[in-house]
Amino acid sequence: MTSTALSGMMIVAAGLFAIGLFGVLARRGILFQLVALEVALSGPALGFVAAGAYHADPQGQGMFILVLTLAAAEVAVGLALFLRIRRVAGSDDSDAINRLKG
């Protein structure tokens, strides 16, 4: 991989992260925020894989597996939170979280 290709991959990774971060901040629905967070996590994962390929180091792939694990845990917690909010508040608005007190 050339340095130009690495730069291009890093720009794409930064763009994915920015799009995901904007989605998390702009959307109010929990499901859309979860999808946006997955997009945001895919950016750094792409950056780790690209940097690992550029430096011929398998640590980039290891970090990618770590990001995948974190994303799976995030989805599990997020879906549980979504179901609880849906059951208590009757909507999927993330602002309803303050009504989840015991």
Side-chain angles (χ1 to χ4, degrees), residues 3 10 14 17-18 21 33-34 39 42 52 71 74 86-87 89 96 99 102:
S3 63
M10 290 299 175
F17 181 75
L21 183 64
Q33 286 179 336
L34 286 174
V39 171
S42 68
E74 170 259 327
R86 185 82 173 185
R87 188 172 297 150
R99 289 180 269 180

Side-chain angles (χ1 to χ4, degrees), residues 2 11 13 19 23 25 27 31 33 35-36 38 49 51 54-56 63 70 83:
T2 64
I11 290 171
I19 290 170
L25 296 176
R27 304 295 280 185
L31 285 180
Q33 286 179 336
V35 170
E38 290 295 322
V49 170
Y54 178 73
H55 294 291
M63 290 300 292
L70 290 175
L83 290 175

